[in-house]
C-alpha cells in the first residue's frame, strides 16, 4: 500500500538489492517528490516506516542499516552541515519501536555532495554497533535545503537476521510475535551491504589487462617525450642553482614565454640545455582524467580530508599556501600521502607514513584504496620520469627498493602503489601562491597533475616567474618541474573545482636511505640520451 504513491519497492526486495539499485530507487522517489511538497517527507517516512516496521517481526536483528538520502539541513552555503544525522530518529521511533534501542549519540562522519554518493558510515550503539546510518547530503538535483531536517527519504532498511554464530546485541522486541511454526526452512542469508570506503579500481584483479594498458601508455609517453621541443631560458643556470648560488641578473629583460595555449610538448631548459620544466600536454584522455578526478573526490569524503589547522609544521612548502577557493559545495583541504615522511624539524627521527594515511583506520583504508585507484596516474608519472630523466628514474626505483628492504610498513603500503616516488600531496581547491617545494630534493622533480570538471573551467596555468614562463597545466596535462629550485605558482581559475596532485620526493627520504639522486648536470655537453 505504501508503495502506491511513491512506487516504493517492498522492504524485503530492497534488502536483497545491491545498494546502487536502492539508490536508483531512492532517486526516482526523490525526483517524484520534487514536484510536490517537500514538507510531506516526514509523514512520508512515517508512512513507509510504519508499514515496514511490522515486517521486522520475528527477525532478531544483529545489525540494521538505515540508508538515508538527502538533506540534513544543509544549505549549499554551508558545505558541511553540523547537524547530527540522527536527529530525525525520534520522528520515526513511534512507528518503529525497535529503533529505540539504538543510541543516537555518535554521529561523526559526513560525505560529499555526490550522487550516487560515496557513503559515509556512522555507527550507533557503542562498541558493538547495532545500526549504521549511511547518509549523504542532498544531491544537486534536490533543491537546496533550508530548515527541514529530514528532507528526503529513508530508502532502505537492510536487515541481517541474527545467526547462531553472531549473537545479537539488539534486544528482541517483546511485542513481536514469534515466527509462525511451519515446515523447517533453510534460512536464507540476507546480504548486508558493507559500504567500501572507496569504489574499487577498474583493473583490480585484472593484472594482465592493466599491464597491457600501462605498456601502451608508456609507449605513448615515450613518443611524447621524443617530440619535446626545447626552449632555452638563456639567463638561468642550473649549475649555479644546484650549488645554492644566486642567479645572475639577465642583461636584458627576459622575454615572456607564454605557452599556455600551446599543444606542443615542451622542455624548458637552462642556458646549458639542462631541463628545468617539462610540459606534457594531452597525455591523459578526457575520461582517464575524469576518473582521476572522481577517485580524488571520493577520497576526500572517505578519508575525511580537512583543511590542516595552522598550515602544518611544513610551513615553508606545500602546507604554507593553505588558502582555498571556497565556493558552495567546493571541497577543501590537503591530503599528505607520503609512505615515508619526516615531519619538518624531525629529520633525525625514524620517518613514518604521513598523517593523512595513518590518522585512523578509515583513513588508512581509504588511502590504500586510493593508492590502487591512482595506479593509472602513477603509471603516467613513472613513464614521464623514466623517459625524461632516466638516471633520476633509476635512482628513484632503487630508493624505493631500499625503503622496502628496510621497512615492512613501506612494503605494505607500496603493495598496490606503483608510484616510484615516495609521496604525493593532494590539494582540493587550494590556491597555490608563489613558493618553492622546500622539502623536496633539489635534484628531483615534482610531477604535477591538476584535474577539474566542467566545460567552463578557465585559468589555473602554472607560472614560473624566474623563467618568465607560463605553461598549461590542465585536466589532460602533466608537468614536471624542479620545484625545489624554481619558484612556482598556480594562476587563479574559474568555472569549477580543481584538484591537484603533486608527486614528490623529499630530501629527507634520500638522507634516510643514505642515497643521493644523480646530479642533473653530470652528463653535460648535450649528451643525447637514448
Ligand atoms: O596547486 C598546484 O597545482 C601546485 C602544487 C604545487 O606546486 C605543490 O604542491 O608544491
Ligand atoms: Fe610546488
Amino acid at each position: 500500500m505504501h508503495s502506491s504513491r511513491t512506487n516504493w519497492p517492498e522492504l524485503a526486495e530492497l534488502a536483497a538489492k545491491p545498494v546502487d539499485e536502492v539508490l536508483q530507487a531512492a532517486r526516482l522517489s526523490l525526483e517524484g517528490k520534487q514536484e510536490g511538497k517537500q514538507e510531506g517527507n516526514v509523514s512520508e517516512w512515517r508512512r513507509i516506516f510504519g508499514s515496514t516496521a511490522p515486517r521486522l517481526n520475528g527477525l532478531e536483528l544483529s545489525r540494521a542499516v538505515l540508508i538515508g538520502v538527502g538533506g540534513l539541513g544543509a544549505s549549499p552555503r554551508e558545505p558541511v552541515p553540523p547537524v547530527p544525522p540522527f536527529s530525525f530518529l525520534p520522528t520515526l521511533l513511534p512507528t518503529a519501536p525497535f529503533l529505540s534501542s539504538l543510541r543516537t549519540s555518535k554521529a561523526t562522519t559526513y560525505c560529499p555532495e555526490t550522487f550516487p554518493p560515496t557513503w559515509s558510515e556512522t555507527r550507533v550503539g557503542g562498541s558493538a554497533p547495532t545500526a549504521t546510518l549511511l547518509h549523504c547530503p542532498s544531491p544537486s538535483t534536490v533543491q537546496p535545503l533550508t530548515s527541514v531536517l529530514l528532507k528526503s527519504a529513508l530508502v532502505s532498511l537492510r536487515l541481517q537476521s541474527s545467526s547462531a554464530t553472531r549473537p545479537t546485541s539488539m534486544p528482541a522486541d517483546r511485542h513481536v510475535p514469534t515466527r509462525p511454526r511451519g515446515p523447517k526452512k533453510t534460512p536464507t542469508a540476507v546480504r548486508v551491504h558493507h559500504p567500501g570506503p572507496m569504489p574499487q579500481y577498474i583493473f583490480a584483479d585484472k593484472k594482465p589487462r592493466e599491464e597491457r594498458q600501462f605498456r601502451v601508455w608508456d609507449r605513448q609517453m615515450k613518443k611524447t617525450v621524443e617530440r619535446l621541443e626545447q626552449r632555452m631560458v638563456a639567463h638561468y643556470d642550473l649549475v649555479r642553482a644546484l650549488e645554492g648560488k644566486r642567479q645572475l641578473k639577465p642583461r636584458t629583460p627576459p622575454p615572456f614565454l607564454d605557452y599556455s595555449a600551446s599543444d606542443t610538448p615542451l622542455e624548458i631548459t637552462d642556458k646549458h640545455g639542462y631541463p628545468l620544466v617539462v610540459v606534457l600536454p594531452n597525455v591523459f584522455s578526457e575520461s582517464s582524467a575524469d576518473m582521476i578526478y572522481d577517485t580524488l573526490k571520493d577520497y576526500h569524503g572517505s578519508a575525511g580530508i580537512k583543511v590542516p589547522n595552522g598550515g602544518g609544521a611544513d610551513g615553508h612548502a606545500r602546507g604554507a599556501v593553505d588558502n582555498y577557493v571556497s565556493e558552495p559545495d567546493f571541497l577543501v583541504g590537503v591530503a599528505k600521502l607520503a609512505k615515508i615522511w619526516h615531519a619538518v624539524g624531525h629529520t633525525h627521527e625514524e620517518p613514518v607514513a604521513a598523517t593523512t594515511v595513518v590518522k585512523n583506520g578509515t583513513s588508512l583504508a581509504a588511502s590504500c584504496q586510493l593508492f590502487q585507484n591512482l595506479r593509472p596516474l602513477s603509471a603516467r608519472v613513472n613513464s614521464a620520469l623514466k623517459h625524461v630523466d632516466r638516471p633520476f628514474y633509476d635512482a628513484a626505483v632503487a630508493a624505493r627498493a631500499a625503503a622496502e628492504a628496510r621497512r615492512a610498513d613501506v612494503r605494505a603500503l607500496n603493495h598496490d602503489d606503483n608510484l616510484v616516488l615516495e609521496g604525493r600531496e593532494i590539494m582540493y581547491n587550494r590556491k597555490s601562491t608563489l613558493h618553492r617545494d622546500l622539502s623536496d630534493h633539489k635534484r628531483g622533480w615534482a610531477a604535477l597533475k591538476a584535474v577539474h570538471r566542467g566545460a567552463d573551467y578557465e585559468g589555473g596555468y602554472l607560472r614560473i616567474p624566474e623563467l618568465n614562463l607560463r605553461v598549461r597545466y590542465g585536466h589532460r596535462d602533466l608537468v614536471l618541474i624542479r620545484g625545489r629550485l624554481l619558484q612556482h605558482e598556480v594562476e587563479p581559475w574559474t568555472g569549477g573545482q580543481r584538484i591537484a596532485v603533486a608527486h614528490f620526493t623529499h630530501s629527507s627520504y634520500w638522507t634516510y636511505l643514505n642515497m643521493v639522486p644523480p646530479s642533473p648536470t653530470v652528463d653535460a655537453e648535450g649528451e643525447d640520451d637514448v
Side-chain angles (χ1 to χ4, degrees):
M1 249 216 296
H2 62 279
S3 60
S4 58
R5 207 173 66 110
T6 58
N7 286 331
W8 198 248
E10 294 292 316
L11 176 70
E13 233 177 87
L14 279 175
K17 280 183 190 201
V19 79
D20 289 349
E21 278 175 46
V22 175
L23 285 171
Q24 183 57 23
R27 184 178 14 210
L28 295 177
S29 162
L30 278 172
E31 281 165 2
K33 286 184 178 70
Q34 282 301 293
E35 293 150 21
K37 53 194 182 231
Q38 299 184 334
E39 264 68 23
N41 285 339
V42 171
S43 55
E44 183 77 354
W45 277 54
R46 271 183 198 278
R47 208 161 55 77
I48 293 170
F49 229 86
S51 58
T52 53
R55 296 172 209 212
L56 308 178
N57 293 357
L59 281 176
E60 282 181 50
L61 300 180
S62 62
R63 191 159 182 268
V65 180
L66 315 181
I67 300 174
V69 176
L72 302 168
S75 113
R77 307 217 162 269
E78 303 160 54
V80 180
V83 185
F86 280 88
S87 339
F88 66 85
L89 277 180
T91 324
L92 301 172
L93 292 181
T95 53
F98 78 95
L99 281 176
S100 61
S101 62
L102 306 181
R103 267 174 288 136
T104 61
S105 56
K106 224 174 155 220
T108 49
T109 52
Y110 176 78
C111 79
E113 76 281 8
T114 47
F115 192 89
T118 309
W119 292 110
S120 67
E121 193 180 273
T122 306
R123 284 160 183 250
V124 292
S127 57
T130 51
T132 305
L133 179 78
L134 303 173
H135 60 94
C136 73
S138 46
S140 50
T141 49
V142 175
Q143 292 216 321
L145 303 180
T146 48
S147 61
V148 185
L149 200 59
L150 172 55
K151 178 79 165 125
S152 42
L154 172 67
V155 296
S156 159
L157 177 62
R158 303 186 146 240
L159 309 171
Q160 184 186 35
S161 55
S162 72
S163 69
T165 52
R166 197 167 160 206
T168 176
S169 53
M170 175 93 75
D173 191 324
R174 286 218 183 79
H175 308 290
V176 170
T178 48
R179 209 191 289 262
R181 274 170 218 171
K184 256 200 180 167
K185 277 201 267 173
T186 352
T188 33
V190 180
R191 208 154 53 90
V192 169
H193 179 75
H194 295 280
M198 291 271 290
Q200 268 281 333
Y201 172 54
I202 39 156
F203 290 132
D205 306 323
K206 293 186 194 120
K207 269 273 168 240
R209 270 188 59 191
E210 187 195 59
E211 274 168 20
R212 248 179 287 136
Q213 179 64 77
F214 286 8
R215 268 202 301 276
V216 171
W217 287 338
D218 187 63
R219 274 199 297 274
Q220 286 170 352
M221 187 65 80
K222 184 164 186 273
K223 285 205 179 117
T224 305
V225 171
E226 283 164 0
R227 288 197 295 128
L228 283 177
E229 288 187 16
Q230 288 201 348
R231 300 283 186 275
M232 184 176 285
V233 176
H235 69 271
Y236 195 89
D237 185 346
L238 181 63
V239 180
R240 286 186 74 87
L242 288 166
E243 287 170 354
K245 292 184 189 152
R246 285 169 158 269
Q247 294 297 310
L248 302 173
K249 264 240 156 68
R251 281 202 212 107
T252 49
F256 179 38
L257 305 175
D258 185 358
Y259 297 118
S260 55
S262 167
D263 273 347
T264 314
L266 290 170
E267 183 174 72
I268 313 299
T269 74
D270 83 333
K271 62 195 280 187
H272 308 287
Y274 299 129
L276 303 170
V277 180
V278 175
V279 187
L280 301 162
N282 301 327
V283 291
F284 296 85
S285 70
E286 194 76 26
S287 63
S288 194
D290 285 354
M291 263 153 63
I292 293 166
Y293 179 94
D294 290 344
T295 202
L296 292 169
K297 199 171 175 201
D298 289 340
Y299 177 72
H300 188 280
S302 296
I305 298 306
K306 299 205 174 65
V307 174
N309 32 12
D314 54 345
H316 302 292
R318 295 184 175 86
V321 268
D322 47 4
N323 204 339
Y324 298 84
V325 176
S326 53
E327 281 185 34
D329 299 334
F330 270 31
L331 305 175
V332 290
V334 168
K336 298 175 181 183
L337 292 166
K339 290 158 287 181
I340 287 253
W341 171 282
H342 280 99
V344 167
H346 296 257
T347 43
H348 298 297
E349 292 168 21
E350 190 74 9
V352 290
T355 39
T356 312
V357 182
V358 291
K359 192 174 61 182
N360 53 43
T362 307
S363 69
L364 178 67
S367 303
C368 288
Q369 187 62 60
L370 182 73
F371 291 152
Q372 196 191 41
N373 292 3
L374 285 181
R375 287 174 68 84
L377 169 57
S378 308
R380 260 79 144 237
V381 170
N382 292 347
S383 290
L385 292 171
K386 182 168 97 184
H387 297 298
V388 165
D389 186 345
R390 188 65 197 239
F392 173 74
Y393 172 83
D394 288 344
V397 170
R400 184 178 146 116
E404 288 188 2
R406 195 148 154 184
R407 292 274 297 268
D409 59 333
V410 177
R411 287 199 290 282
L413 291 171
N414 272 347
H415 185 271
D416 279 332
D417 187 358
N418 51 335
L419 183 66
V420 295
L421 307 179
E422 86 279 12
R424 44 169 98 62
E425 190 154 340
I426 302 168
M427 291 141 282
Y428 295 89
N429 291 304
R430 202 198 63 180
K431 297 175 191 167
S432 281
T433 52
L434 198 60
H435 69 285
R436 278 178 231 278
D437 305 331
L438 288 185
S439 305
D440 288 14
H441 201 287
K442 61 185 179 182
R443 294 178 170 182
W445 294 99
L448 302 181
K449 176 83 205 94
V451 282
H452 45 78
R453 282 202 120 163
D456 299 337
Y457 185 91
E458 256 181 52
Y461 299 110
L462 188 67
R463 186 96 191 209
I464 297 126
E466 282 170 273
L467 308 180
N468 213 6
L469 173 71
R470 183 198 205 209
V471 297
R472 53 187 284 163
Y473 177 26
H475 197 52
R476 299 186 52 201
D477 312 328
L478 181 67
V479 177
L480 302 187
I481 177 175
R482 297 210 179 273
R484 166 72 183 269
L485 302 175
L486 293 164
Q487 286 194 318
H488 50 284
E489 68 187 324
V490 175
E491 292 185 5
W493 73 91
T494 54
Q497 303 204 56
R498 175 181 180 279
I499 309 175
V501 188
H503 306 77
F504 59 79
T505 186
H506 280 172
S507 47
S508 56
Y509 172 68
W510 296 84
T511 310
Y512 171 67
L513 299 171
N514 281 321
M515 293 174 82
V516 257
S519 168
T521 59
V522 129
D523 301 318
E525 311 310 320
E527 182 185 304
D528 247 338
D529 107 288
V530 225

